[in-house]
């Protein structure tokens, strides 16, 4: 595969590790062989490098396109000049005419991270015998990191491509067999679950380090969040109660750990402004944006796993290009992508994202909200600070932005996990036949209400707080809507829509089969949500009619170099057709 050949050409050559502590530069043209693996610091450098692959601007761009742009959240900025580098590729995706050469079909950064993880798994244990400072406990902690990160990468890849190659180990030499075959999602997810459970045996607890590593590395909370996510995904495709139960189990572990950490912290402060114990501790209405996304925030108490940019003052160029400045130039005031009309306006009928103008998140996440425009500038991550209380809109899209886009990219935070739990609870309630006395639906409602209440001022809670009587028979709808409001532009929405679709298809999908072997038609419920950003949604249905269209094509270079890869059959190469 071309990805593996790229790795061989760059691996450990002029590699700069931008950590928050120091910078490690490994020698040019140095092959990482047994002569390299001599010190504890060298092992830790490779672990850091594995995480650094996902900070690559291509990785961030891809995650925004895969998770946000393909959904109802984003459109291509109408102001983009034809010379903008990724304009054509994005227009292809928006029009649902993706070609296999499209730049956003590249899986390179994820397989690069996987290869570094495999290097640690193959080489690090031998360092115990040569460096007295590298103890068994150090190795176990490093092993847990790379097992968890590798599982996270494979899970991400299978959500995007369905059938993906599982590499047999680290690639070090050009003579290595690079033609790994594709594996089905079922086998990939089983491998991920097993690796995460193994990693959990040795992973450090949250808040162990007291610095950026508590959120920048996958600790126990992060591992449990990934496990919950995998079980929710598999449960939705298989419609399996046991997977939903497992999702809730791991969500509860994260929630309990977050609660304990907050209540035992010597520097704790009650976000509610008093000493009343709460089930969940979230930043307050007025502090939420600054804590999570603002210039002086990130790595907040409620966060779980973030790619680190801010503390190392590294530019998050991928985020910058997509949401802020398409060419990362200070004079350019718009990104490649903008929020669709449904994410920038209020729809009192309940069919839109925002039910009312009292929800502070509307103004925190989108510039010039509540207008009648067809698209809006994304504010989340971009703005330096809160839009202000009382839902104050900022008049100028350029106001409050920064010339240095160094925001962390957030993979998991507490409200995401809470809403995973709510989603699983609702599905168990449905699978259980809505039995009398089953309180899981109401428990899911209370989670949604807690998160929604955080976005309302005290004055607005009286009028706009959610009521169970309104949603008791529409709980799946409420959970989906709350995730759309809370987690928009964070790379989640398309995967939420995929899970939703799998639960509503007329036939149950089969993760044990490849897309070339079997697929199911997409659901009407999915079309209604996923296509609502288009002027004529019905015209787009034929272009995304079945399960195969939910997944990206494999980059054409990969298919041509690896004879074991089989292309997603609904996509074609422009050079061949």
């Amino acid at each position: 595969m071309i990805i593996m050949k790229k790795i061989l050409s760059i691996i450990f050559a002029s590699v700069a590790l931008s950590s928050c502590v120091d910078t490690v530069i490994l020698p040019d043209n140095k092959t990482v062989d047994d002569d390299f693996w001599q010190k504890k610091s060298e092992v830790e450098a490779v672990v850091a490098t594995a995480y650094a692959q996902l900070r690559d601007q291509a990785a961030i761009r891809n995650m925004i396109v895969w998770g946000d742009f393909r959904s109802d959240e984003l459109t291509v900025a109408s102001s983009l000049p034809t010379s903008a580098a990724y304009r054509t590729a994005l227009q292809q995706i928006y029009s649902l005419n993706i070609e296999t050469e499209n730049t956003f079909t590249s899986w390179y950064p994820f397989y690069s991270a996987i290869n570094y993880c495999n290097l640690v798994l193959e080489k690090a244990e031998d360092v115990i015998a040569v460096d007295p400072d590298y103890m068994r406990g150090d190795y176990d902690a490093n092993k847990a990191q790379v097992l968890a990160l590798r599982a996270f990468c494979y899970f991400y890849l299978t959500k995007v491509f369905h059938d993906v190659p599982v590499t047999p180990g680290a690639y070090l030499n050009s003579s290595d067999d690079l033609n790994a075959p594709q594996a089905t999602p079922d086998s990939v997810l089983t491998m991920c679950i097993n690796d995460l459970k193994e990693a959990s045996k040795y992973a450090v607890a949250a808040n162990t380090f007291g610095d950026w590593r508590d959120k920048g590395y996958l600790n126990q909370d992060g591992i449990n969040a990934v496990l919950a996510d995998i079980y929710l995904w598999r449960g939705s495709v298989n419609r399996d109660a046991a997977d939903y139960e497992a999702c809730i189990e791991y969500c509860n572990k994260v929630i309990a750990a977050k609660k304990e950490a907050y209540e035992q912290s010597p520097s704790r402060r009650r976000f509610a402004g008093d000493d009343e114990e709460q089930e969940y501790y979230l930043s307050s209405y007025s502090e939420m944006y600054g804590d999570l996304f603002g210039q002086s925030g990130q790595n907040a108490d409620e966060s779980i796993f973030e790619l680190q940019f801010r503390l190392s003052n590294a530019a998050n160029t991928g985020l910058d290009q997509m949401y802020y400045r398409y060419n990362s130039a200070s004079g350019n005031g718009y990104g490649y992508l903008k929020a669709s009309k449904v994410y920038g306006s209020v729809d009192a009928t309940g069919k839109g994202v925002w039910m009312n103008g009292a929800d502070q998140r509307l103004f925190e996440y989108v510039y010039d909200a509540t207008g009648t425009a067809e698209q809006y500038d994304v504010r989340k991550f971009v703005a330096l600070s809160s839009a202000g209380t009382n839902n104050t809109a900022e008049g100028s899209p350029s106001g409050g932005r920064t010339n240095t886009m160094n925001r962390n990219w957030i993979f998991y935070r507490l409200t995401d996990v809470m809403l995973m739990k709510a989603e699983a609870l609702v599905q168990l309630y449905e699978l259980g036949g809505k039995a009398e006395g089953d309180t899981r639906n109401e428990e899911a409602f209370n989670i949604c209400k807690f998160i929604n209440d955080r976005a309302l001022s005290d004055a607005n809670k009286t009028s706009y707080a959610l009521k169970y009587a309104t949603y008791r028979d529409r709980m799946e709808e409420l959970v989906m809507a709350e995730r759309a409001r809370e987690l928009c532009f964070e790379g989640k929405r398309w995967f939420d829509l995929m899970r939703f679709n799998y639960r509503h298809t007329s036939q149950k999908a089969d993760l044990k089969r490849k897309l070339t072997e079997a697929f199911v038609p997409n659901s009407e419920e999915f079309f209604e949500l996923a296509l609502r950003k288009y002027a004529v949604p019905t015209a787009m249905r034929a272009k995304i009619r079945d399960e195969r269209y939910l997944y990206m094509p494999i980059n054409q270079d990969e298919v041509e170099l690896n004879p074991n890869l089989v292309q997603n059959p609904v996509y074609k190469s422009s050079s061949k057709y």
Side-chain angles (χ1 to χ4, degrees):
M1 294 182 291
I2 193 170
I3 171 59
M4 298 310 172
K5 289 178 169 58
K6 287 178 181 176
I7 291 173
L8 291 174
S9 67
I10 67 168
I11 196 166
F12 295 106
S14 301
V15 178
L17 304 182
S18 298
S19 76
C20 303
V21 180
D22 59 5
T23 299
V24 180
I25 300 178
L26 299 173
D28 290 349
N29 303 317
K30 179 173 178 62
T31 300
V32 181
D33 54 19
D34 292 338
D35 291 336
F36 173 83
W37 297 89
Q38 300 294 313
K39 299 177 182 178
K40 175 181 179 179
S41 60
E42 292 171 339
V43 177
E44 293 175 343
V46 183
V47 173
T49 307
Y51 282 96
Q53 304 315 296
L54 299 187
R55 294 205 305 270
D56 185 273
Q57 61 181 278
I60 301 294
R61 284 197 305 261
N62 284 0
M63 287 187 284
I64 290 172
V65 169
W66 295 342
D68 293 303
F69 178 53
R70 295 199 74 199
S71 77
D72 56 341
E73 285 185 354
L74 297 169
T75 64
V76 182
S78 58
S79 50
L80 269 181
T82 56
S83 60
Y86 307 113
R87 182 177 181 272
T88 300
L90 291 169
Q91 289 286 8
Q92 275 187 20
I93 296 171
Y94 184 79
S95 63
L96 304 180
N97 293 314
I98 309 172
E99 294 175 354
T100 59
E101 292 87 354
N102 191 295
T103 188
F104 295 103
T105 63
S106 173
W107 56 31
Y108 163 63
F110 283 84
Y111 275 107
S112 183
I114 288 167
N115 201 57
Y116 281 105
C117 291
N118 285 337
L119 277 168
V120 174
L121 292 171
E122 290 183 16
K123 298 287 189 179
E125 189 171 18
D126 293 340
V127 179
I128 296 172
V130 293
D131 183 359
D133 289 333
Y134 192 61
M135 311 293 286
R136 173 61 60 176
D138 298 317
Y139 167 71
D140 287 341
N142 292 148
K143 176 183 176 182
Q145 288 294 323
V146 294
L147 279 173
L149 182 61
R150 187 178 69 174
F152 172 81
C153 289
Y154 274 124
F155 173 46
Y156 214 108
L157 288 166
T158 201
K159 288 190 297 181
V160 175
F161 296 99
H162 198 273
D163 308 311
V164 298
V166 175
T167 59
Y171 291 115
L172 295 172
N173 305 299
S174 58
S175 60
D176 291 342
D177 181 3
L178 307 181
N179 298 327
Q182 287 161 286
T184 63
D186 180 73
S187 62
V188 173
L189 296 180
T190 299
M191 176 190 70
C192 292
I193 289 169
N194 291 338
D195 280 353
L196 288 163
K197 288 182 176 179
E198 178 68 15
S200 184
K201 298 176 184 177
Y202 310 107
V204 298
N207 305 316
T208 294
F209 298 105
D211 58 26
W212 63 272
R213 290 171 292 181
D214 289 336
K215 303 296 191 296
Y217 280 174
L218 280 162
N219 56 32
Q220 286 285 0
D221 285 355
I223 289 170
N224 288 335
V226 181
L227 278 165
D229 204 358
I230 292 175
Y231 279 116
L232 182 60
W233 179 268
R234 197 171 72 174
S236 297
V237 179
N238 292 337
R239 304 175 192 178
D240 183 80
D243 278 344
Y244 286 131
E245 293 280 9
C247 170
I248 293 169
E249 175 189 348
Y250 285 102
C251 287
N252 284 339
K253 289 182 179 182
V254 176
I255 292 167
K258 281 293 187 184
K259 180 178 181 180
E260 181 181 8
Y262 180 78
E263 293 183 342
Q264 292 187 357
S265 171
S267 59
R268 78 179 190 181
R269 59 190 175 91
R270 293 291 186 183
F271 287 127
D274 57 37
D275 250 355
E276 181 182 351
E277 181 180 351
Q278 298 184 49
E279 187 66 23
Y280 318 101
Y281 293 100
L282 304 177
S283 299
S284 68
Y285 161 82
S286 61
E287 294 172 318
M288 177 270 293
Y289 185 87
D291 283 349
L292 288 164
F293 309 108
Q295 174 74 354
S296 58
Q298 313 265 266
N299 293 324
D301 285 345
E302 65 184 87
S303 186
I304 296 169
F305 179 35
E306 302 185 11
L307 287 178
Q308 302 296 304
F309 288 91
R310 188 179 70 81
L311 293 179
S312 61
N313 202 32
N316 190 341
T317 306
L319 182 64
D320 193 352
Q321 292 173 334
M322 292 294 103
Y323 289 161
Y324 183 15
R325 302 169 296 190
Y326 75 90
N327 60 358
S328 301
S330 58
N332 174 234
Y334 50 86
Y336 275 101
L337 305 175
K338 293 194 178 187
S340 71
K341 58 185 177 182
V342 296
Y343 278 80
S345 57
V346 173
D347 185 347
T349 66
K351 292 187 178 297
V353 174
W354 308 100
M355 299 180 293
N356 55 68
D359 194 315
Q360 180 68 15
R361 293 169 297 187
L362 169 58
F363 300 93
E364 300 288 19
Y365 297 168
V366 177
Y367 279 104
D368 292 331
T370 71
T372 57
E374 287 298 304
Q375 53 183 220
Y376 297 80
D377 287 274
V378 173
R379 189 181 188 281
K380 182 185 275 189
F381 292 111
V382 175
L384 294 170
S385 58
S386 170
T389 56
N390 301 317
N391 302 320
T392 303
E394 297 185 16
S396 171
S398 60
R401 299 190 186 189
T402 176
N403 285 330
T404 304
M405 178 58 72
N406 58 359
R407 297 296 150 25
N408 290 355
W409 180 252
I410 301 174
F411 281 126
Y412 292 105
R413 53 192 181 95
L414 182 55
T415 51
D416 184 6
V417 174
M418 291 165 64
L419 289 167
M420 285 188 213
K421 178 180 177 180
E423 188 173 327
L425 284 166
V426 170
Q427 296 312 310
L428 284 174
Y429 177 80
E430 297 286 338
L431 290 173
K434 305 178 182 180
E436 186 177 351
D438 189 336
T439 62
R440 286 179 288 202
N441 227 29
E442 190 165 2
E443 185 180 355
F445 170 80
N446 289 333
I447 291 172
C448 292
K449 184 178 186 303
F450 195 98
I451 294 170
N452 195 271
D453 279 355
R454 190 258 291 267
L456 300 173
S457 67
D458 289 342
N460 284 326
K461 283 187 176 69
T462 303
S463 301
Y464 295 107
L466 301 178
K467 295 178 175 58
Y468 183 55
T470 304
Y471 291 100
R472 62 185 305 158
D473 298 319
R474 300 161 50 199
M475 277 305 303
E476 183 180 39
E477 173 189 330
L478 176 61
V479 174
M480 286 291 293
E482 197 58 39
R483 285 187 66 86
R485 291 187 283 266
E486 176 70 11
L487 302 167
C488 59
F489 318 129
E490 295 181 47
K492 303 285 182 179
R493 179 63 173 173
W494 181 246
F495 305 123
D496 290 354
L497 290 170
M498 289 177 74
R499 291 195 308 273
F500 177 76
N501 178 62
Y502 278 125
R503 295 195 293 264
H504 290 273
T505 55
S506 57
Q507 304 166 249
K508 188 166 70 172
D510 188 351
L511 290 173
K512 295 181 179 179
R513 294 191 177 189
K514 296 181 179 179
L515 281 178
T516 52
E517 298 171 342
F519 58 90
V520 298
N522 291 328
S523 68
E524 289 297 315
E525 293 86 348
F526 167 78
F527 290 138
E528 184 176 350
L529 289 178
L531 300 178
R532 60 183 174 173
K533 70 180 180 183
Y534 293 97
V536 186
T538 53
M540 309 303 290
R541 291 190 178 203
K543 295 184 176 184
I544 196 168
R545 57 184 175 269
D546 63 57
E547 178 189 9
R548 297 171 297 176
Y549 294 86
L550 302 180
Y551 296 91
M552 291 291 284
I554 301 169
N555 188 274
Q556 189 65 28
D557 288 339
E558 303 285 358
V559 175
E560 292 177 0
L561 285 169
N562 181 356
N564 289 323
L565 294 181
V566 179
Q567 182 63 269
N568 185 330
V570 299
Y571 299 107
K572 296 180 179 180
S573 165
S574 62
S575 64
K576 290 190 171 185
Y577 297 90

